[in-house]
Amino acid sequence: MSKSETDIKRLGQAHLSWDDPFYDIARQQIVEVAGDDNFGRKVIVFSACRMPPQHQLDHHKLLMYLKHTLDQYVESDYTLIYFHHGLTSENKPSLSWVRDAYREFDRKYKKNIKALYIVHPTMFIRTLLILFKPIISFKFGRKLNYINYLSELEEIVKCEQLVIPSRVREYDEKIRQALKPSAQAAMSPPRSPPLPTQQFGVPLSEYAPLLINKPTFVSSGLQTEGIFRRSANVSLVRSIQEKYNSGQEVNFYQLEDVHLAAVILKKFLRELPEPLLTYQLYNDVVNIHNVENTSQVERIRNMLHTLPEENYASLKFLIQFLSQVLAQSEVNKMNSANLAVVFGPNLLWGQDAAMTLSAIGPINNFTRLLLDQHQEIFSS
């Protein structure tokens, strides 16, 4: 991790006023947003180890903050990752709170949650889920998954994009070391070097990927309701990714799945080693709201002209393409605010990637400005 957790906490607090009703909750960084998973679904992270002792935390307000966070994403497919390690007798909420929390999340929240991953489950959490089985619907029960080691998360999401608490990492290392050497080796396969034709996970400057300049495969589905909000079959996503990386042609028209094509585009953006808007512009982007409205367009235009040439060209092409999606918003239900929620976290993230909702809001607002004012911003 390039920053300490103290620095991360400061980063999250910087975007939330002290008099905000959720300030006390947000500053704990119990709930975070971490981009998309490998299926193209938004990731919400809940870390039990960051919960303070019971008498220092308003559990009802925590529940409201979690709902407030999810409200930004429940119209899209999303994934919830729960880091269980660190839940103790001192900070764990009551069983009645857990029951009420499940009941509080009505169909609106349960419909589009595609998976709940419980990382480092203990006998306590397994027993708890058995006790609550009578009130857990069969459909929701099928979405519950146990993850025993952090390495298993790589099948679901890039762990680099999660700010995993140090206590969780240390615990994972401890239980991994208890394994036999052969088992440890199997869990950590070596990474292969990038191919000459690599498109995913490589810098724009070194390999000049072409994928971002070819979103035409989505164009035929511009009138698809909820475009960019749905996930895709992970095996198909992986297959398409491998084809691009090996230099093979991909014909999405034959696959006839606009959601698959949309996921591939988002995945390409998220796997860039550095975000398209670059780390250098991070502070300028999240503070754009401090600039007078009449000066924002000019300020943004100047900011973007400091980007590397390949970044600027790719961003301009992408925003112009998304403006075509926006033009069909009456049919596809994707206005600029909806598109910003989808693409904001994929255009910019902090160097530790995961962010509280208070930090991700300014990035989404900046993305919305790009979409609403794209003709003026990219006029020169």
Side-chain angles (χ1 to χ4, degrees), residues 33-44 73 76-79 81 153 156-162 228-231 262-271 340-347 349 353-355 360:
V33 181
D36 292 1
D37 63 13
N38 295 339
F39 303 80
R41 308 179 298 215
K42 280 289 175 286
V43 177
I44 313 296
Y73 303 103
S76 306
D77 293 350
Y78 70 98
T79 292
I81 297 177
L153 274 178
I156 303 149
V157 63
K158 284 182 65 180
C159 284
E160 289 89 342
Q161 79 181 55
L162 304 177
F228 293 114
R229 279 182 163 174
R230 300 279 77 90
S231 54
V263 166
I264 288 292
L265 178 58
K266 291 190 296 178
K267 188 172 178 62
F268 168 79
L269 290 168
R270 190 64 199 182
E271 291 200 1
V341 167
V342 171
F343 278 92
N346 293 311
L347 291 179
W349 55 87
M355 295 169 280
I360 212 168

Side-chain angles (χ1 to χ4, degrees), residues 29-308:
Q29 298 231 278
I30 301 167
V31 180
E32 298 174 310
V33 181
D36 292 1
D37 63 13
N38 295 339
F39 303 80
R41 308 179 298 215
K42 280 289 175 286
V43 177
I44 313 296
V45 178
F46 189 105
S47 300
C49 70
R50 288 179 173 163
M51 295 175 64
Q54 296 172 6
H55 67 280
Q56 296 179 12
L57 180 66
D58 184 333
H59 287 91
H60 175 71
K61 189 179 287 187
L62 171 62
L63 178 58
M64 293 301 101
Y65 182 64
L66 180 57
K67 289 183 66 175
H68 176 63
T69 302
L70 294 177
D71 280 340
Q72 315 301 311
Y73 303 103
V74 291
E75 296 301 321
S76 306
D77 293 350
Y78 70 98
T79 292
L80 186 60
I81 297 177
Y82 167 62
F83 290 116
H84 179 63
H85 177 70
L87 191 72
T88 67
S89 58
E90 292 186 355
N91 69 355
K92 70 180 179 183
S94 65
L95 292 181
S96 61
W97 182 87
V98 176
R99 180 198 61 210
D100 293 343
Y102 177 77
R103 290 174 173 169
E104 186 75 26
F105 291 102
D106 55 25
R107 187 176 182 275
K108 179 179 79 168
Y109 299 95
K110 295 171 184 173
K111 177 185 176 183
N112 287 332
I113 181 173
K114 297 305 177 182
L116 165 57
Y117 295 100
I118 300 174
V119 183
H120 299 139
T122 60
M123 185 58 66
F124 166 77
I125 195 69
R126 294 174 188 268
T127 303
L128 184 67
L129 289 174
I130 292 174
L131 290 175
F132 279 90
K133 191 173 182 180
I135 69 169
I136 297 177
S137 68
F138 174 74
K139 183 179 290 187
F140 185 80
R142 292 176 61 185
K143 299 176 182 180
L144 293 170
N145 302 272
Y146 292 128
I147 300 292
N148 295 309
Y149 305 98
L150 292 178
S151 58
E152 296 175 15
L153 274 178
E154 289 293 344
E155 289 294 314
I156 303 149
V157 63
K158 284 182 65 180
C159 284
E160 289 89 342
Q161 79 181 55
L162 304 177
V163 178
I164 301 173
S166 57
R167 287 178 60 187
V168 173
R169 289 186 181 276
E170 290 165 5
Y171 175 74
D172 188 75
E173 184 64 25
K174 179 181 177 180
I175 60 178
R176 279 172 56 93
Q177 289 179 356
L179 296 172
K180 294 180 180 179
S182 58
Q184 291 189 40
M187 292 173 61
S188 305
R191 293 190 177 185
S192 55
L195 298 168
T197 53
Q198 191 92 5
Q199 296 285 293
F200 289 82
V202 293
L204 286 170
S205 58
E206 292 184 20
Y207 295 91
L210 302 175
L211 180 59
I212 199 170
N213 294 325
K214 294 182 179 180
T216 51
F217 48 71
V218 191
S219 299
S220 61
L222 294 185
Q223 295 188 334
T224 302
E225 184 172 344
I227 185 173
F228 293 114
R229 279 182 163 174
R230 300 279 77 90
S231 54
N233 181 284
V234 71
S235 60
L236 278 176
V237 171
R238 188 178 294 116
S239 174
I240 297 301
Q241 189 173 355
E242 289 174 354
K243 285 185 177 180
Y244 270 115
N245 284 340
S246 61
Q248 299 180 47
E249 287 291 327
V250 177
N251 190 333
F252 282 98
Y253 297 104
Q254 292 180 349
L255 295 169
E256 298 182 344
D257 186 353
V258 67
H259 295 301
L260 173 61
V263 166
I264 288 292
L265 178 58
K266 291 190 296 178
K267 188 172 178 62
F268 168 79
L269 290 168
R270 190 64 199 182
E271 291 200 1
L272 288 172
E274 184 176 6
L276 193 60
L277 285 171
T278 71
Y279 296 132
Q280 183 177 343
L281 288 185
Y282 184 87
N283 288 332
D284 290 330
V285 168
V286 298
N287 289 307
I288 193 66
H289 63 279
N290 293 324
V291 178
E292 290 289 336
N293 291 345
T294 54
S295 304
Q296 284 183 346
V297 169
E298 182 64 25
R299 179 66 173 271
I300 293 173
R301 186 188 295 122
N302 292 336
M303 287 164 53
L304 297 187
H305 278 300
T306 68
L307 289 171

Side-chain angles (χ1 to χ4, degrees), residues 321-340:
F321 165 69
L322 292 180
S323 69
Q324 298 176 37
V325 179
L326 186 58
Q328 302 285 339
S329 61
E330 289 190 9
V331 180
N332 60 39
K333 311 301 182 185
M334 295 299 289
N335 57 30
S336 59
N338 294 333
L339 286 171

